[in-house]
Amino acid sequence: MGIQINGTNDTISAVDGSLDIQGLNTPNGFIVTNKTTTQRDALTSVSNGTIIYNTTNKRVEVYDGSTWVGVERGGYIEATGGLISEYDSAGTKYRAHIFQSSGEFRVHNTSPVYNTVDVLLVGGGGGGGAQHGGGGGGGGMKEFPSYRINPGVYKVIVGAGGAGGMGVPAPANPVAIPGEPSSFGNDLRVSGGGAGGKYGDSGGQPGGSGGGGGSDEDNNANPGGSGNIAGYSPVEGYAGGLGRYAGGGGGGAGGNGSDVSPISPYGIADGGNGGNGSPSSYTGTSVVYAGGGGGGTHSPSAPNFATGPLGGSGGGGRGGKGSGGPDTPGAMGNNPPDGPSAG
């Protein structure tokens, strides 16, 4: 059985179970079927392993049984570490390495063409202040696109969240603890979130996002902590809100924490809402990270008055609720845990 190439009848032969085309009269090369993306997507009953040249994307593509995968030039990156998740975008497969605890990103192989990764870092969130204190600031969040890598080991540190303050009934931890920084290798780092201020003339701490200002018995303003202490552009986070008779909201990676408005002393005051987090698609799906915590509500004459101010989108917890009795924690945020990823 023969085929015609360049006007000459040649025979395709099988050698050791493989197709031998070296002997064919093809001085200008061997051409696979050309298709535009529209023509490719209109194909039906496509067999696994079908090869085309996509004239729209200008690359060879192979059908893997579910999608068309580009055959890229210049090799690939081989790496291990973290929770590995693969996803497809515009016919190209990507692999994300997601770390929710500290570990190592091991690069086994790179190439002259493929030698960069996109890195997302999220620091640990700050703790909320004691006794209707300020909300904790979200951990700093930053994308580092096209970071150059070489074969070797990159240490990944996932910053822990800070503990909240506790003033009643036992003042064992009156001051909240800031979140810890996260880092990738020796070069990339983001700050932990600032802790919220506690009751009584206490401002929020600075951090990746700042903690909310604490409450004040005389309704004076306690400032929120500043965000973006690393000085990044774009910023890694925003400032916490002003506290007055209740705690200000903690700042988030996507916006400031809310201020508390002045009220008459000894009234009921809601804390400020936490600042929203910021989205990233580095894991293949858009996820919001690093929301700020809500400030604590002050309700001296109505125990458990409210559910507590809202935490910012992206993991920010609700503010505490309660009266002059023991501190009552609010509900936790239900977004995925913060942590670095490399993809």
Side-chain angles (χ1 to χ4, degrees), residues 76-218:
Y76 58 94
I77 295 173
E78 181 184 358
T80 55
L83 176 64
I84 296 176
S85 174
E86 294 186 343
Y87 62 96
D88 179 88
S89 178
T92 300
K93 284 191 178 296
Y94 294 88
R95 175 173 290 178
H97 296 252
I98 304 169
F99 291 80
Q100 295 181 352
S101 60
S102 298
E104 292 180 341
F105 181 66
R106 292 181 172 265
V107 180
H108 305 287
N109 180 69
T110 62
S111 74
V113 175
Y114 296 100
N115 52 28
T116 63
V117 294
D118 297 332
V119 180
L120 166 68
L121 290 177
V122 183
Q131 281 187 277
H132 34 82
M141 173 187 166
K142 182 73 176 172
E143 293 179 339
F144 299 89
S146 301
Y147 177 72
R148 178 67 181 266
I149 58 171
N150 296 298
V153 178
Y154 293 80
K155 192 172 184 179
V156 176
I157 302 298
V158 178
M166 184 175 68
V168 177
N173 183 28
V175 179
I177 306 300
E180 296 179 352
S182 295
S183 60
F184 179 86
N186 296 324
D187 303 323
L188 308 185
R189 183 181 186 275
V190 293
S191 312
K198 64 182 180 64
Y199 167 75
D201 302 323
S202 175
Q205 295 182 10
S209 288
S215 62
D216 181 85
E217 189 72 22
D218 296 320

Side-chain angles (χ1 to χ4, degrees), residues 41-63:
D41 293 344
L43 297 175
T44 58
S45 302
V46 182
S47 299
N48 291 1
T50 297
I51 301 173
I52 66 165
Y53 179 75
N54 187 318
T55 58
T56 303
N57 295 333
K58 294 181 170 38
R59 67 182 184 184
V60 175
E61 295 179 344
V62 181
Y63 188 69

Side-chain angles (χ1 to χ4, degrees), residues 254-325:
N256 294 334
S258 296
D259 296 338
V260 175
S261 299
I263 65 163
S264 299
Y266 300 101
I268 294 173
D270 288 331
N273 292 334
N276 285 331
S278 184
S280 174
S281 298
Y282 275 11
T283 59
T285 303
S286 181
V287 178
V288 179
Y289 300 90
T297 290
H298 192 178
S299 50
S301 60
N304 299 332
F305 161 75
T307 57
L310 294 174
S313 61
R318 282 186 180 269
K321 57 184 180 177
S323 65

